[in-house]
Amino acid sequence: MIKRGRGIGCNLYGVGYGFNRADHSAATIEVADDGSVTVLSGACDMGQGSDTIFCQIAAEELGVAYEDVRIISADTFFTPDALASSASRQTYVSGEAVRKAAADVKGHLLKLAAILLESPIEDLDIKRGSVFSKSSPESIQMPFKKLAWEAHFRGKQFIGFAWHDNTTPDVDKETNQGNAYATYIYATQVADVEVDTETGQVNVVRVAAAHDVGRAINPKNVEQQIEGAVVQGMGYAIMEEIIMQEGITLTPSFTKFLIPTAKDSPEIISYIVESNDLKGPFGAKGVGEGAIIPTAIAISNAVYDAIGVRIYSLPITPEKILAALSEKFN
């Protein structure tokens, strides 16, 4: 008999290393004489999209087109240190370093623009590839590419650098009270499952995932992070079993246990809940690991809702379900 159930999982997750562990990043930005921009960051893009995000942040802060920005990342010879791509920290920490580096070079270029346009620097800004006067935008303006050429031609600074420190004080050693992380991401996921009581097989039909990520700099990137995390969380919940026997791992590789494929993926509905974190670049926080945590919880609760039996160990295998049902009815 096929029984359906629905379960909910919620979590919060600290972004960055927290607990007074060093958590910093640096970035360099160079503007070429043709107005193109190069971002240098030590962050390793492992598929989460940090290269794209950093280029967007630099373009937004500098007021130029995204297409005019390129990035050199994770090159130990050229790029400044950004620490590890872990703890869901790269957008939040390295992204802010990139924003600050862009603001730094922007400040140098605006000093030159103030001279060339004979306008107070406080009155100048850069948007949509143009330097302009905020008080007289139609009469006082200059293409950003021309300003970049003038900077090179006149020997003015066209390179910016920034170092951003996100190190967060530890909690009180005596009471364990305090704010261990600079910011937190929050999530709620709801899973619909089908459980075959004759075979014990669990089929995850649908997962709805709502995530607070701060400002979503690239909503498509956020969605793919959530979707990938849900599939990983589903694997943790019902497939990936690490079996130990006398200290020896009997399932040491993907050839020994199952992981989800695209065909195993349920329908995933992502809900991006935006907030504004004042410490993150343009209010952004992160996604990463925070999106994996609630999936297994939601699936486990859904299985309980379907069959009225609680499974207390993961993964929830057919054998465990059949054993639990047998115990319940015998």
Side-chain angles (χ1 to χ4, degrees):
M1 178 184 295
I2 302 297
K3 292 194 173 183
R4 296 180 67 92
R6 174 170 291 176
I8 299 175
C10 304
N11 75 288
L12 63 82
Y13 184 82
V15 176
Y17 295 139
F19 294 97
N20 202 37
R21 292 171 290 194
D23 190 7
H24 54 78
S25 184
T28 301
I29 291 184
E30 179 176 355
V31 179
D33 58 3
D34 63 352
S36 60
V37 178
T38 300
V39 178
L40 288 91
S41 170
C44 178
D45 189 335
M46 301 182 293
Q48 78 275 25
S50 57
D51 282 358
T52 299
I53 294 297
F54 295 163
C55 289
Q56 286 185 259
I57 290 171
E60 181 70 19
E61 184 66 34
L62 274 172
V64 300
Y66 170 80
E67 292 76 15
D68 290 335
V69 183
R70 71 183 186 109
I71 187 168
I72 298 174
S73 60
D75 186 316
T76 54
F77 187 78
F78 290 104
T79 59
D81 186 21
L83 294 183
S85 292
S86 59
S88 305
R89 63 181 290 276
Q90 286 298 5
T91 292
Y92 190 68
V93 183
S94 295
E96 182 62 7
V98 169
R99 190 199 65 77
K100 286 182 175 179
D104 183 43
V105 72
K106 180 180 180 180
H108 294 304
L109 293 173
L110 286 179
K111 287 180 183 178
L112 175 59
I115 297 172
L116 297 176
L117 296 174
E118 298 180 346
S119 179
I121 189 171
E122 300 81 14
D123 188 45
L124 296 178
D125 200 358
I126 307 173
K127 298 287 185 185
R128 295 181 292 278
S130 179
V131 187
F132 64 93
S133 163
K134 288 179 279 189
S135 59
S136 304
E138 295 184 0
S139 59
I140 302 177
Q141 58 179 289
M142 172 188 293
F144 178 82
K145 293 182 177 181
K146 178 173 174 56
L147 175 62
W149 185 86
E150 291 286 354
H152 280 261
F153 180 74
R154 295 165 181 261
K156 300 298 181 181
Q157 188 165 345
F158 48 83
I159 295 176
F161 173 80
W163 186 80
H164 178 60
D165 186 10
N166 186 56
T167 304
T168 308
D170 203 348
V171 297
D172 186 278
K173 297 295 186 181
E174 298 297 326
T175 65
N176 283 329
Q177 298 300 300
N179 200 10
Y181 294 93
T183 193
Y184 298 84
I185 48 182
Y186 303 89
T188 294
Q189 294 184 6
V190 180
D192 288 336
V193 306
E194 294 177 341
V195 182
D196 188 328
T197 57
E198 294 183 3
T199 65
Q201 186 68 40
V202 177
N203 176 36
V204 181
V205 178
R206 182 184 304 106
V207 175
H211 290 262
D212 165 30
V213 299
R215 287 287 301 278
I217 292 176
N218 189 312
K220 285 296 182 183
N221 267 14
V222 172
E223 288 179 5
Q224 64 91 12
Q225 283 270 281
I226 293 172
E227 290 169 3
V230 166
V231 175
Q232 283 186 284
M234 185 184 74
Y236 177 51
I238 63 174
M239 291 185 178
E240 301 169 26
E241 186 169 21
I242 303 298
I243 301 174
M244 301 287 292
Q245 183 176 320
E246 298 180 353
I248 298 174
T249 304
L250 301 182
T251 51
S253 71
F254 293 155
T255 64
K256 300 298 182 180
F257 63 86
L258 295 175
I259 62 173
T261 68
K263 287 189 175 182
D264 299 308
S265 300
E267 178 187 2
I268 302 171
I269 307 168
S270 301
Y271 298 94
I272 299 173
V273 181
E274 289 193 303
S275 57
N276 184 30
D277 190 287
L278 298 179
K279 296 180 181 178
F282 302 110
K285 292 196 285 191
V287 191
E289 292 128 309
I292 299 175
I293 296 169
T295 310
I297 304 166
I299 292 172
S300 176
N301 287 333
V303 170
Y304 173 72
D305 184 51
I307 62 175
V309 174
R310 178 70 70 180
I311 308 296
Y312 290 99
S313 65
L314 297 179
I316 302 174
T317 61
E319 293 81 2
K320 291 178 183 178
I321 288 179
L322 293 177
L325 287 173
S326 176
E327 182 178 347
K328 177 181 178 181
F329 292 109
N330 293 326

